[in-house]
Amino acid sequence: MPSATAVNKHRPSELLSRLASDDPEVKVRALREVKNQIIGNPTKKLSFLKLGAVPAVAGILADSIDEVTNNNNCNSNTSNILVQSAAALGSFACGFDAGVQAVLDAGAFPNLLRLLANPNEKVADAGARALRMIYQSKLAPKYDFLQQKNMEFLISLLNSEKENVSGLGASIITRSCETSLEQKALFDAGILRKLNSLLGGGSLSQRDASLESLATIFRNNPEVISKFAGPEIGRPLSSIIDLVKDRHPRTRLLACMCLIVIRNASPHFLQDIGIKSKIIHILLELLDDPSQVGDEAPFAFSSLIAQKEDLQKLALEANAIDKLYHHLKKGSLHPRRYEGILLALADMCSKLESCRSKFLSLQVLNLVADALTDHNAGVRTAACVCLKNVTRSIKNLSAGYFMNEIIVIPLVQLFPDPSTSVQGFRWQEKSERPDTFPLLDAVAALGAVSNIMVDFTTRKSIFVQCGGMKQLVQLAKSMESAVRSNALWALKNFVFQADNRLKEGVFSELTASLLSSLISDPEPSVQEQALALVRNLVDGCINLIELVFAEDGLILGAIGRQLQCASKAEIGIQGMYALCNVASGNEFHKEAVIQQLFTQMGDKNQSFVIKFLQSNDCQLRTATVWTIVNLTCPSSPGAPGRLEKLRNAGIISQIKNMVNDPCVDVKLRVRTVLGQSMAFGDN
């Protein structure tokens, strides 16, 4: 059993006191002990950070460098101190952002750079290793490659024969290159040629670093990709394709990711179905890898198939959903892997009904429902996205698979506290605390709920009973436009084809004043969803149409004002359909609508109605003509007077010019209007 003295010797506080020793050997041993204790141990790193270990180690590094500079001599003791202090700082930074920040705050970064020029290879290598650890993090300092001195520094790193130094150069590119101008500058400087040479002739570490940097330089830049793939550099794409078969899992993953970036930016490359199938199979195989490679593989898979039906079909044929489900069933997944698998399933189900059917046949839905209550925010958000995509199927919605307590209650629980929403809900970092509800959770949950609310069954009462409807109304008051818009979207779908009692219940919670203010919201997306909600609310009996006349017609007036200054076609479409539904009512309702069409003209010569009829958007033209149909119905006593107003405003003349409209729906409604007009003697 170790003595108390031996135990105390290894305590963080004791180690820190030994770092201050004047004896170089004691100092080196203490630095080595600090490094060994914190490697791969975030808890130990944190405890050392709290004691101020990083500034202490950074101070030792700075003093030793100054000593070398002043004496123009680097003896073995000083070299050992430099190596161990750099190694300790690198260990603090490795995979630990708090450690990276502490190293940067302590001013160690420029001193680590100075080590690269040290004639002692071990010292230079230790500095390069530490800097590479820093450049694993997004917190690493960025270089502006448009500045000549930075480009020259980068080239000197990449040209180094030292593995860690050239690898550092590649890592700097990965963290620093952000603009198309920088991407082009790197290509023009010959950087891609150098990186390509490292793919074939470099070490494993250099290959992997080069693949990451190439992907960064290619991202969203088809021009650079075309130049890279041209004859100037040789056969670089073949080099990357060959690496997807490498025996090292990380290299295979990075090669796949690089090819995915190329294809996403330039779809005409990598059209060969064999290559695409190979990438899919490799990424699915990498899910079995127990390391970080397996955690990242599903994200790469998602990036490959997102919004691409052809690749989703290939993935379905490769049994991707079965394999993802198999991993999900295992349980006890790392949060990153758990999140990635859910997002991969979400992308698989984003387009194809066959994929959604496969998803439901395997009963993956139950596992996704479990993920809604996971302690990790990323997992919960991914589960919501998955549900949102699966519920895009009208067939499955009408079958009632989703409107049940297992799905609905956890989704409602992901809504932020209404009082927080009203006061102002801000974008937050993802939190691992189960009692925290980030905005990402809320928006993702609202997206899933919006689709589920289209469910045509009578089970919408479940959502009301668990408090979901009232919470949506409160979220419509959020200070965040994304929350307001998504809450209104969900309410719009909730009242779609709902019974009168449910619609009246929603309206009583919303109130006319709130709805009118949302119609006039500064955000166009909120305006559109608020108008769509009104459209669905008044779609039905006369009593429902009366809702827009509450509080002296606040809602109807807001619709008219918004249509006059509509910033995009979608707002006009929803507003005109809302008026169309109101105009389907009695004489009082029709007269109120015609008043809105002309009251909003002011001193202008042209009504917004003519602008809408001349729009390039066929849906907007359809909604506008349909409104005119309802206003001029021959069975309505006031139709002749309204027709006269429309004729005097030039609207009927414009409609006559639309008899050959390219849109069939518009053409049919136009003929109806003209037929009704002729019934009153118009030629």
Side-chain angles (χ1 to χ4, degrees):
M1 183 174 180
S3 65
T5 303
V7 171
N8 289 337
K9 188 177 180 182
H10 298 285
R11 284 180 176 170
S13 55
E14 174 62 23
L15 281 173
L16 286 184
S17 66
R18 287 164 53 202
L19 288 177
S21 173
D22 292 329
D23 186 334
E25 292 185 3
V26 172
K27 188 172 290 188
V28 167
R29 284 196 297 270
L31 286 165
R32 188 181 291 116
E33 181 68 22
V34 169
K35 176 194 70 178
N36 291 341
Q37 284 200 28
I38 65 175
I39 287 177
N41 192 331
T43 305
K44 271 293 181 75
K45 289 182 184 181
L46 195 57
S47 65
F48 273 102
L49 285 185
K50 290 178 179 177
L51 291 171
V54 170
V57 175
I60 292 171
L61 176 66
D63 292 342
S64 300
I65 288 176
D66 288 342
E67 182 182 336
V68 172
T69 303
N70 294 334
N71 298 331
N72 197 24
N73 180 34
C74 188
N75 58 44
S76 60
N77 284 333
T78 305
S79 295
N80 288 337
I81 290 173
L82 290 172
V83 168
Q84 292 304 323
S85 57
L89 291 170
S91 295
F92 275 114
C94 183
F96 191 58
D97 278 351
V100 174
Q101 193 61 60
V103 171
L104 296 175
D105 290 344
F109 182 77
N111 285 325
L112 289 171
L113 284 176
R114 290 171 68 185
L115 293 184
L116 300 178
N118 193 287
N120 187 314
E121 286 194 10
K122 289 184 178 180
V123 172
D125 190 64
R129 282 177 181 273
L131 288 166
R132 289 190 71 178
M133 296 301 104
I134 291 172
Y135 274 93
Q136 288 178 356
S137 168
K138 293 180 180 179
L139 299 176
K142 290 179 170 52
Y143 280 82
D144 179 1
F145 296 126
L146 300 181
Q147 293 186 20
Q148 185 62 29
K149 64 175 184 178
N150 289 338
M151 186 67 81
E152 291 172 356
F153 173 64
L154 176 64
I155 291 171
S156 71
L157 294 178
L158 292 174
N159 285 335
S160 172
E161 295 181 0
K162 299 169 185 174
E163 177 182 332
N164 279 309
V165 176
S166 59
L168 170 62
S171 298
I172 288 174
I173 292 173
T174 302
R175 289 297 173 213
S176 300
C177 182
E178 295 180 333
T179 68
S180 58
L181 285 176
E182 288 180 312
Q183 291 169 328
K184 184 178 183 302
L186 289 168
F187 180 86
D188 292 342
I191 299 298
L192 273 74
R193 185 186 295 276
K194 180 60 183 177
L195 292 172
N196 186 54
S197 69
L198 291 174
L199 292 182
S203 66
L204 172 63
S205 171
Q206 288 171 319
R207 274 205 316 268
D208 288 356
S210 296
L211 284 168
E212 283 191 278
S213 337
L214 285 169
T216 300
I217 298 171
F218 293 152
R219 188 161 286 113
N220 301 321
N221 197 323
E223 182 186 352
V224 168
I225 292 170
S226 295
K227 289 180 178 178
F228 177 79
E232 184 182 340
I233 294 182
R235 297 177 61 251
L237 288 185
S238 299
S239 303
I240 300 173
I241 292 169
D242 289 343
L243 289 175
V244 302
K245 298 174 284 187
D246 192 88
R247 65 189 181 91
H248 296 96
R250 178 167 168 75
T251 303
R252 294 203 299 277
L253 173 65
L254 292 172
C256 286
M257 291 171 68
C258 195
L259 292 174
I260 291 167
V261 167
I262 290 172
R263 190 181 187 281
N264 287 348
S266 300
H268 59 281
F269 286 111
L270 306 172
Q271 285 294 321
D272 183 81
I273 195 169
I275 294 175
K276 291 188 282 192
S277 295
K278 184 68 176 175
I279 294 173
I280 287 170
H281 282 283
I282 288 171
L283 291 174
L284 291 174
E285 288 170 6
L286 289 174
L287 288 171
D288 294 322
D289 191 281
S291 71
Q292 187 182 2
V293 168
D295 297 339
E296 297 301 324
F299 290 94
F301 179 82
S302 285
S303 179
L304 173 67
I305 66 167
Q307 304 301 315
K308 304 180 190 75
E309 288 191 23
D310 60 329
L311 288 168
Q312 289 167 16
K313 286 178 183 175
L314 283 177
L316 183 64
E317 292 168 6
N319 296 318
I321 294 179
D322 301 72
K323 290 175 182 177
L324 292 166
Y325 171 56
H326 171 72
H327 284 280
L328 213 53
K329 276 199 308 183
K330 289 180 180 179
S332 302
L333 296 170
H334 185 281
R336 178 74 175 166
R337 187 177 304 220
Y338 197 178
E339 177 185 354
I341 290 172
L342 289 167
L343 289 176
L345 284 166
D347 281 312
M348 280 296 297
C349 296
S350 63
K351 293 279 187 181
L352 301 175
E353 194 63 32
S354 54
C355 288
R356 296 181 191 123
S357 297
K358 183 67 173 179
F359 176 97
L360 291 170
S361 70
L362 291 173
Q363 297 184 327
V364 187
L365 187 61
N366 293 334
L367 297 177
V368 175
D370 291 340
L372 292 172
T373 56
D374 192 83
H375 73 280
N376 182 276
V379 171
R380 296 194 302 270
T381 300
C384 291
V385 175
C386 189
L387 277 175
K388 180 180 179 181
N389 287 353
V390 174
T391 53
R392 286 178 175 173
S393 165
I394 295 295
K395 182 180 84 172
N396 294 326
L397 278 172
S398 56
Y401 291 128
F402 308 103
M403 187 61 84
N404 57 64
E405 291 88 344
I406 296 173
I407 301 294
V408 171
I409 292 176
L411 280 173
V412 172
Q413 289 172 344
L414 286 177
F415 294 167
D417 185 282
S419 61
T420 306
S421 174
V422 174
Q423 292 164 8
F425 201 86
R426 299 298 175 203
W427 288 97
Q428 299 176 11
E429 290 295 322
K430 290 182 181 178
S431 170
E432 304 307 320
R433 289 171 45 206
D435 60 337
T436 311
F437 299 95
L439 182 58
L440 287 174
D441 267 8
V443 173
L446 286 167
V449 165
S450 295
N451 285 353
I452 293 172
M453 289 301 102
V454 179
D455 193 339
F456 304 125
T457 67
T458 58
R459 286 180 282 180
K460 289 185 177 181
S461 58
I462 293 172
F463 190 70
V464 177
Q465 289 165 6
C466 70
M469 185 265 282
K470 289 190 175 184
Q471 280 193 269
L472 286 179
V473 172
Q474 292 302 316
L475 292 174
K477 305 172 186 176
S478 169
M479 296 294 287
E480 290 293 339
S481 61
V483 174
R484 292 198 304 279
S485 176
N486 279 276
L488 288 168
W489 196 326
L491 284 168
K492 170 195 73 176
N493 289 348
F494 185 58
V495 300
F496 177 68
Q497 295 190 349
D499 59 49
N500 294 353
R501 184 176 58 83
L502 190 145
K503 287 186 177 184
E504 288 167 355
V506 170
F507 183 78
S508 68
E509 289 289 334
L510 277 166
T511 72
S513 58
L514 174 58
L515 254 180
S516 62
S517 69
L518 289 167
I519 290 169
S520 305
D521 194 274
E523 288 294 328
S525 62
V526 177
Q527 298 167 19
E528 179 188 349
Q529 295 309 318
L531 288 166
L533 172 56
V534 173
R535 169 188 175 181
N536 286 353
L537 275 173
V538 299
D539 180 20
C541 68
I542 296 291
N543 289 343
L544 292 174
I545 294 176
E546 288 291 335
L547 296 178
V548 301
F549 294 93
E551 299 184 34
D552 296 324
L554 270 179
I555 295 173
L556 193 62
I559 294 173
R561 288 189 297 275
Q562 198 57 61
L563 287 174
Q564 182 62 40
C565 60
S567 60
K568 60 178 186 174
E570 290 80 4
I571 293 170
I573 291 166
Q574 298 304 333
M576 287 310 298
Y577 272 123
L579 290 183
C580 180
N581 287 344
V582 175
S584 69
N586 58 32
E587 275 299 300
F588 173 75
H589 301 145
K590 295 179 192 295
E591 284 299 321
V593 171
I594 199 78
Q595 185 178 2
Q596 287 303 319
L597 298 187
F598 294 106
T599 300
Q600 301 303 327
M601 285 179 63
D603 296 328
K604 297 179 181 178
N605 295 322
Q606 191 182 63
S607 165
F608 62 81
V609 177
I610 291 182
K611 295 177 186 175
F612 289 174
L613 291 172
Q614 294 172 344
S615 169
N616 292 326
D617 192 299
C618 64
Q619 291 186 66
L620 181 53
R621 298 198 305 276
T622 302
T624 307
V625 177
W626 210 327
T627 304
I628 306 302
V629 169
N630 286 349
L631 289 172
T632 57
C633 179
S635 62
S636 176
R642 290 189 290 274
L643 188 63
E644 184 65 23
K645 288 182 180 179
L646 293 167
R647 189 182 295 113
N648 292 338
I651 292 170
I652 297 300
S653 176
Q654 173 62 37
I655 289 177
K656 287 179 179 179
N657 294 331
M658 299 167 67
V659 289
N660 293 317
D661 193 279
C663 174
V664 175
D665 280 347
V666 174
K667 190 183 296 184
L668 289 173
R669 311 301 166 209
V670 164
R671 289 177 181 176
T672 302
V673 171
L674 295 179
Q676 293 176 172
S677 175
M678 290 174 67
F680 296 111
D682 190 14
N683 293 321

